Structure formats: structure tokens, C-alpha cells
Amino acid sequence: MADLIVGIQWGDEGKGKIVDVLAKDYDYIVRYQGGHNAGHTIVVGDKKYALHLIPSGILTSHCINIIGNGVVIEPSALIEEMRQFGGEQALLGRLFISDRAHIILPFHQELDSSLERAANAIGTTKKGIGPCYTDKIARIGLRACDVRNFPAQRESIIARLQERVRTLKESNILDSSLEELVQASISSLESAHTILSPFITDTTSLLWEAQAQGKRILLEGAQGSMLDIDHGTYPFVTSSTTIAAGSCAGSGLAPRDIASVLGIMKAYCTRVGHGPFPTEDGKEFGALLCEKGAEFGTTTGRKRRCGGFDALAARYACRLNGCDKIALMKLDVLDGLEEIAVCVAYQYQGRKITYVPSDLENATPIYEILPGWAGESSKGVKSYDALPTNAKAYIARLEELVGVKIAMISTGAERSEIIYRYDCAI
């Protein structure tokens, strides 16, 4: 069976730390969607690791790490990321790439940048993620199997590249010449073939075999549920299925293979990029969260928008994902506050609602004010009983509002700064 970890806000919830903490109990860690526009920061002692494509289990020596077919891969980004773990020789046998994963090429990135200059920009990372997924859905993309077979299929692949880039050039979208973009794409594929080919395989069969052997599998998502292409704040979303349902399509496992779902959420909310964010606070509270929570993107360094906890969005996401339990992150960021506002309803079209509408931009938050624990600290606390009384009351209220038990509580960036409640085996 496989367990699943999923973000239930707008991403950046702290999934990487939880996967890192739990990885010791698993044999396989699988990343199943997204691209290098997502990032996990993991702190081990005095060292920070920034992960974008490689699963978080890479820091656990016995874990086999899989980049699934639902991921889109920019070869140079992956190769660079591999170097912080000793490069390809050190990772052989520990990292595998699905031969069905799609490949981001230079023209995807240039197209993404061009689209972001438009007046109705989404606020993407300009990494080429959306254009690559567009080609995937249009059935004209290149996959990792094409990388592996590049020398044998060189002429046909180049012809496909030329046709795709020519179509884009005729739309006056790209600045670089056809020759430049095609040559850059060929260079990317050649480099990827040389370095990545030993890692490319049928990872779906690999996972099926692991299941047959009774191995434990942990599925790791990127971004958050509120950025899901179907159920998020469209069109200000990512281009993949970020909720639990995407884990099957992006890995090759069946729904019946999923045993348990652990949702990850911060004790407050953040968002990167454009789009509705009802609890955003552009004043003192938001600035405090940003500073204390070090709310800057792992991938881009962009400052995150910050605000209070949105219980409606969290409850909505928990239902979408079928969360069994929750890990609550960054509780310590709220230390020192006299009171904390939590969104418990929206004002929408002249009435009070307690659900997430499809046009969330037209919803105004209605808050419940909870007492903080100023003068006390949760930082580094490792026992639930040792938390400040009002911190425990805050946690209990979030459980009531969201409808799911909080099984883990992070009280700092370190691996060890975590509280375990109930049965934390997911």
C-alpha cells in the first residue's frame, strides 16, 4: 500500500519537512506532479537543502526516490539539483525517472515568460511548466523516453521540434529565432541523454513490483490543493492536479492502493503569485508573518503573501483529498501575538456563507478572534502538554473548524522540532 502527503493550502505548507521526517518508515518516495516551479526546503543541522524535482526522501539513505510520470522535467534544473547530492554516480540506484514524464525545453520557458508579460498574467515562475503541460495535453510533447532514445530518433525529434517552434513563431509570441530555439532544445536533449539516461525507466512497473514485495511507498505532491487545475482558484492555479486524485494518474498506482492521506497546513496562510487570497494581510500582521516565517519562495526567492488561517479553504481541501490526519506547520511563528484572527465564514453576494465559491475573489473573510500566547513560546517544544495553554486551544479550535485531527505539530525548522500526537503512522 501507499500513503500520501498533500498540501491543503496554496502551497509552501512544509511538505518537504514532513516527508523528510517520515521517510525513515518508507522504502520508496514518489513525486507525482508539478515541475521545478515547486520547492521544498529541508533543514538538517546547520545545512539547508533546496529540492525542486528530487523527492524529499533523498536525504534518507535507504529510500528509493522516484520522479513520476505526472512530473514535467527541465533537464538542466534536475542535473544541477543532483549535484548537491554528489551527482549522477552517487544517485544511481536511488533515483529513478519515469520514461513517461514530459520534458521542458527552452522554448517552453521563453513562451512562459512572454505570456507573463501580458496584462492578464497569472504570476507564474516562468519556468515553462504551463506550456509543457499544454504540449502534453495537445499530444505534441517530448517525454523522458525520447531523451533516452534521442540518438536513434534524432532526425524525427528535430523535425517535431522545428514544427512546434515554427508554429509558435508564426504567432509572434517568441523573441528568439527558430534556429536558436531549436538548437537550444537539441543541446538540452543531448545533455539530458548523456547524464539522465541511466535513471530513466518504467517507474510504474517499478512501483507495482515494490508493492508485490510488500514495500512501503510514500507519495509526495507539490504545490497545494488551492492551486489545483480543477478545484483551485482558477485561472490563478498551476497546470497539474495537485490534490490526492492526481497521485494515481501521476504515479501509475490505483486508487485502491492509497491507504492514508496526511494533509499539510500552516498555522496561518501564504500564497505566491497572483489570484484571490481572502485572508491576505498587507499590513503589520502580514509583514510579521513574512519576517518570522521566512516566507520567501524556495524556487524563486519571491516574497510570499501572508495572512490569517482560512478554515473554510482548509476544510474544503481536506474533503477534496480525503485527509485522515493533518500536520500543522510553523506554529511557533504565531508566538508573541496577543490575539489571532481565523477566517470562519465569508461574506459573499450579500450573505454569509461557509463554503468555498468558484469565484473566491468575490468573498470577504469573516473572522473569529482567538487569544494568542504572548509571553510564552512554542518554539522547539516537543511535547503537546508543554505547549502554552492558548496554543493548545488554538490547535483544538482548528481541528473543530477543519474537521480533521491534527496529528503532528511543527514548532521549528529542524527535523527534531516536531510534536507527535495520536497515531502518527499514516
Side-chain angles (χ1 to χ4, degrees), residues 84-377:
Q84 68 180 319
F85 302 105
E88 56 267 31
Q89 291 303 315
L91 295 176
L92 281 172
R94 292 200 59 220
L95 177 67
F96 295 91
I97 301 167
S98 171
D99 54 6
R100 292 175 170 87
H102 278 249
I103 302 298
I104 298 172
L105 293 169
F107 67 85
H108 290 128
Q109 295 176 304
E110 184 164 323
L111 175 57
D112 204 356
S113 294
S114 297
L115 294 173
E116 278 300 297
R117 290 196 292 268
N120 59 343
I122 299 297
T124 76
T125 55
K126 305 176 186 177
K127 301 287 187 180
I129 309 300
C132 184
Y133 275 117
T134 297
D135 282 4
K136 175 179 178 176
I137 299 304
R139 296 166 293 182
I140 55 175
L142 290 175
R143 301 184 294 170
C145 57
D146 297 308
V147 168
R148 185 180 56 200
N149 300 330
F150 184 67
Q153 300 177 0
R154 183 184 180 92
E155 296 309 315
S156 64
I157 290 174
I158 290 175
R160 289 168 62 188
L161 287 172
Q162 289 173 329
E163 179 60 28
R164 180 64 179 125
V165 176
R166 184 179 293 109
T167 300
L168 292 172
K169 287 295 294 179
E170 289 172 353
S171 301
N172 294 317
I173 298 175
L174 303 179
D175 295 327
S176 300
S177 70
L178 186 151
E179 292 76 15
E180 288 173 323
L181 289 171
V182 170
Q183 186 54 53
S185 297
I186 293 171
S187 297
S188 177
L189 291 169
E190 288 175 337
S191 176
H193 171 77
T194 300
I195 298 173
L196 298 181
S197 287
F199 300 90
I200 298 171
T201 190
D202 181 350
T203 57
T204 296
S205 294
L206 190 64
L207 288 172
W208 289 352
E209 182 179 344
Q211 283 186 307
Q213 295 173 353
K215 302 294 186 181
R216 293 205 68 196
I217 299 168
L218 184 61
L219 300 164
E220 171 188 28
Q223 287 100 18
S225 299
M226 296 303 290
L227 295 179
D228 183 80
I229 186 66
D230 286 295
H231 299 282
T233 51
Y234 189 89
F236 300 98
V237 293
T238 194
S239 299
S240 58
T241 300
T242 63
I243 62 173
S247 66
C248 295
S251 67
L253 298 180
R256 67 182 180 185
D257 296 326
I258 308 300
S260 186
V261 181
L262 176 66
I264 316 297
M265 69 185 191
K266 286 176 181 169
Y268 52 95
C269 284
T270 64
R271 175 168 193 162
V272 172
H274 303 162
F277 180 16
T279 63
E280 181 176 12
D281 187 288
K283 300 179 182 178
E284 183 178 348
F285 179 56
L288 174 70
L289 293 174
C290 185
E291 180 182 357
K292 288 188 65 179
E295 296 295 353
F296 298 90
T298 301
T299 299
T300 64
R302 286 190 296 178
K303 183 178 179 180
R304 295 175 185 142
R305 301 156 62 189
C306 297
F309 185 83
D310 189 331
L312 274 69
R315 185 170 69 234
Y316 169 72
C318 281
R319 180 64 182 86
L320 283 173
N321 289 290
C323 293
D324 304 293
K325 296 168 188 172
I326 285 175
L328 182 68
M329 313 301 290
K330 293 195 172 184
L331 180 68
D332 56 297
V333 174
L334 301 181
D335 288 355
L337 295 175
E338 294 285 350
E339 53 185 30
I340 305 167
V342 173
C343 174
V344 296
Y346 299 132
Q347 189 71 26
Y348 176 75
Q349 296 182 351
R351 58 194 176 94
K352 178 181 176 180
I353 63 170
T354 55
Y355 63 90
V356 176
S358 58
D359 55 338
L360 190 57
E361 63 273 16
N362 294 318
T364 303
I366 297 173
Y367 290 106
E368 176 180 316
I369 306 301
L370 300 176
W373 47 96
E376 299 180 87
S377 176

